Amino acid sequence: MPGTYEEGELDFETSSNSGVYKSVYIASDFIRLNNSSAIASTVIDADGEDKIFNIQGSNTSIIEGFTLTGMVTANWESSVIYLRNGAAPTFKNLVIKGNTEVNDAYGPIINIRSASPSFEDVLIEGHGSQNNTWRSMAYISDNSSDGTFKNVTWKDNYAWDYGIIGVWSGAKATLTNNLFIDNYHDHWRGILNIHNSSSMTLINTTVANNIATSEAQLVSFWDASNNTQLTLINSVLGNVTNPSFQIYNNGGNNAYVTARNSILPLGTSGSNQASKITWDVDATNVFADPQLDTDGTLKDNSPAIGIGTKQPVTIGSMTFTPPTTDLAGVTRPDPAGSNPDAGAYESDKAQGDFDILLSQCGYLLEINVLNSNAYTVAWLFNGDTVSTDESFIANNLGTYSVSVSSTDRS
């Protein structure tokens, strides 16, 4: 029922120190009455303790329809959700906010160690500040850990070490319809952090508009070796101005990036050490500014419109199936019969608006034509065509104009 439940710590252990955990289904009126307001009005409060859920054994509980709040960090073990040793619960339709860090907290919001939980329709928002950061929002460690996150929004969070989400020591994470927006980190690691032998797969996920005091890496590889892997399918990395901000590699070898139907603004040159990354990035991808609104949705001229695939994608021995709805619940593709879009949100356009970007000015003139492959370019000087290339070095002072003609856009 609606209310605030000052629970302290929930562990579902059958008896003290038994190591045996009962699997339960706890739900609010979100389920019983199909009442969406119950998520905000039914609060599980840590009551000042350093955990809300502490499950350290085999368990398949379902927790659905709550706000989780009131946790105060004390040490590395402090977490809103702490899972170990084969725990595999499901957390659905939750808001996680209002938890307090102390002196650049050592504990993450979600701590997964040798566990395989699922998170679905979750908002993780508003943790920390620029002067008082969390270690991370989610830390996934050990080669038996495999976290899945579907329809999860990570917003306005501040982290200092493992990034907003980090996979460590052989762990795996799959993120489908995730949005990382307006997050912050003040360390050398990225919003997404992938450590030695670990892998992270993004499916229809957007990472954008993130901030930092100096190096605002979207993704970072750390001590990469033994198939440290980033896979992008129908996903979008936000625009960056520096190659190291797209995917930072701290110097290790054997980092791998595989991308299909995705936006990588700087392509295979988008790293501080691009030569130390093995790139499997085919022609289904686009190397351009994704043209996002501040909330992560696609502008009408976004090159992410229509480049996605709705078919299962097989990479090596793994097959990934794109979602049939977007983060907002809109059916993909929209409109019906078109191709789906890359990113967490589906646009209602079948094709992005024809648009032109001038990325250089001065002697070197460059043009980038969005959402069309059927066009011709003409640079004009005093009414005469002086070049038909997309990149042109002007040899004479004066005013140049450019004409772009397309057969498939207005």
Side-chain angles (χ1 to χ4, degrees), residues 72-86:
V72 178
T73 62
N75 53 52
W76 163 237
E77 303 294 320
S78 301
S79 300
V80 174
I81 298 171
Y82 184 80
L83 307 171
R84 296 191 68 173
N85 302 330

Side-chain angles (χ1 to χ4, degrees), residues 19-32:
V20 178
Y21 294 82
K22 181 180 287 292
S23 293
V24 298
Y25 184 3
I26 302 178
S28 69
D29 280 349
F30 178 82
I31 296 300
R32 190 171 71 92

Side-chain angles (χ1 to χ4, degrees), residues 4 197 340:
T4 297
S197 303

Side-chain angles (χ1 to χ4, degrees), residues 64-267:
E64 185 165 12
F66 300 99
T67 293
L68 307 183
T69 192
M71 188 273 279
V72 178
T73 62
N75 53 52
W76 163 237
E77 303 294 320
S78 301
S79 300
V80 174
I81 298 171
Y82 184 80
L83 307 171
R84 296 191 68 173
N85 302 330
T90 298
F91 297 89
K92 301 175 67 175
N93 297 295
L94 300 177
V95 172
I96 303 176
K97 67 177 183 180
N99 299 286
T100 304
E101 77 292 346
V102 178
N103 297 327
D104 287 338
Y106 275 83
I109 290 288
I110 300 170
N111 197 334
I112 301 169
R113 303 170 74 179
S114 300
S116 300
S118 297
F119 296 84
E120 184 172 348
D121 296 300
V122 176
L123 170 64
I124 303 170
E125 180 181 25
H127 291 97
S129 67
Q130 190 163 336
N131 296 320
N132 204 8
T133 53
W134 287 76
R135 190 156 196 165
S136 68
M137 294 301 103
Y139 171 73
I140 308 168
S141 180
D142 304 330
N143 58 17
S144 59
S145 287
D146 191 352
T148 61
F149 301 81
K150 183 178 181 181
N151 300 338
V152 178
T153 299
W154 315 71
K155 182 178 180 182
D156 295 329
N157 300 296
Y158 292 74
W160 66 267
D161 192 358
Y162 297 123
I164 298 302
I165 181 171
V167 286
W168 216 253
S169 301
K172 299 177 182 178
T174 302
L175 288 66
T176 303
N177 276 346
N178 277 227
L179 174 67
F180 293 83
I181 196 83
D182 296 334
N183 294 292
Y184 170 97
H185 69 93
D186 68 353
H187 216 264
W188 53 85
R189 294 174 182 143
I191 297 299
L192 310 181
N193 182 235
I194 307 171
H195 179 251
N196 186 1
S197 303
S198 301
S199 66
M200 189 178 295
T201 300
L202 311 183
I203 306 172
N204 282 102
T205 288
T206 299
V207 187
N209 294 8
N210 297 292
I211 56 176
T213 52
S214 56
E215 297 178 340
Q217 293 93 1
L218 299 180
V219 182
S220 64
F221 286 117
W222 206 255
D223 295 336
S225 65
N226 299 327
N227 298 323
T228 310
Q229 177 78 47
L230 170 68
T231 300
L232 302 114
I233 300 169
N234 292 356
S235 290
V236 171
L237 297 183
N239 196 38
V240 291
T241 58
N242 185 308
S244 68
F245 294 172
Q246 179 176 276
I247 300 174
Y248 182 82
N249 185 358
N250 81 319
N253 295 307
N254 302 321
Y256 295 82
V257 174
T258 301
R260 301 289 184 269
N261 307 89
S262 296
I263 300 283
L264 289 80
L266 299 181

